[in-house]
Amino acid sequence: MKKHLATLVAALTVCGAVHAATSAPDYTLSVALSHDGTPLATSTSIIRDSLGNESPFLLASGQSIGYGECTKLANGIKLNARQKFVGRRVEVETKKSEGGSFDLVVSATDTVSTGIAKTGPADCVSEVVKTSGLDVRDIAVHLDSGKTVDVPLGDPHYKLVLKLVAE
């Protein structure tokens, strides 16, 4: 039994070494968000591992603020509880990757709450969470391994830099 177990361990070790030698690299994404030159958030994460598994990137700090939404129906009203994120968040999702080339979708938020407003008729009042600050969604970005890109956020006070490396 010990002889068979030793043979099995040796075979698994050789298979593992062969797989490690032929597997693809991990692709690591570094993200840096700044406002008027002051760093706000930085982080690094593997977005595609050596086995080809992709993971979205998420960096977030803030809170969800609850609010109510009223909808008039033919036979009454419908009340729904909703949530709005307020704070800082950077999301990067891989839409397509081939080799060391990635097509990404980026969203960035850096908001503060300025209050909750009431809207609608007296018999069906809804709330709206008011915010100010940066809130951009679904920016398409192409990034190749070893390269750095500035993501266009539409606000000159903010800068978002992505860097992709193969390890």
Side-chain angles (χ1 to χ4, degrees), residues 31 33 41 57-60 88-92 106-109 160 162:
V31 175
L33 178 66
F57 175 93
L58 176 62
L59 171 69
R88 188 169 296 135
R89 180 190 333 235
V90 178
E91 297 174 81
V92 180
V106 179
S107 296
T109 303
L160 179 61
L162 306 180

Side-chain angles (χ1 to χ4, degrees), residues 1 11 15 21 24 31 33 40 48 67-68 79-80 83 89 91 114 118 125 127-128 141-142 144 146 160:
M1 179 72 169
C15 287
V31 175
L33 178 66
L40 298 177
R48 190 176 76 211
Y67 65 96
L79 297 174
N80 288 313
Q83 298 279 320
R89 180 190 333 235
E91 297 174 81
T114 58
K118 305 277 187 195
V125 177
E127 298 174 318
V128 176
V141 175
H142 180 81
D144 293 320
L160 179 61

Side-chain angles (χ1 to χ4, degrees), residues 3-144:
K3 184 178 179 182
H4 293 293
L5 196 54
T7 304
L8 180 61
V9 169
L12 288 174
T13 302
V14 169
C15 287
V18 168
H19 176 72
T22 60
S23 67
D26 289 338
Y27 286 91
T28 303
L29 182 69
S30 296
V31 175
L33 178 66
S34 60
H35 181 264
D36 289 334
T38 302
L40 298 177
T42 59
S43 187
T44 302
S45 181
I46 295 173
I47 61 170
R48 190 176 76 211
D49 66 19
S50 59
L51 301 175
N53 299 312
E54 294 180 353
S55 300
F57 175 93
L58 176 62
L59 171 69
S61 67
Q63 63 182 6
S64 288
I65 297 177
Y67 65 96
E69 181 181 76
C70 182
T71 306
K72 280 192 166 193
L73 303 172
N75 58 349
I77 62 171
K78 179 180 176 184
L79 297 174
N80 288 313
R82 302 280 188 224
Q83 298 279 320
K84 177 162 179 109
F85 178 82
V86 177
R88 188 169 296 135
R89 180 190 333 235
V90 178
E91 297 174 81
V92 180
E93 185 179 342
T94 302
K95 287 298 181 187
K96 179 182 171 190
S97 67
E98 190 172 312
S101 184
F102 287 73
D103 289 327
L104 308 170
V105 175
V106 179
S107 296
T109 303
D110 185 32
T111 57
V112 294
S113 175
T114 58
I116 297 179
K118 305 277 187 195
T119 184
D123 63 339
C124 189
V125 177
S126 292
E127 298 174 318
V128 176
V129 178
K130 295 176 138 196
T131 61
S132 66
L134 177 73
D135 191 11
V136 294
R137 303 252 178 244
D138 302 331
I139 302 167
V141 175
H142 180 81
L143 188 56
D144 293 320

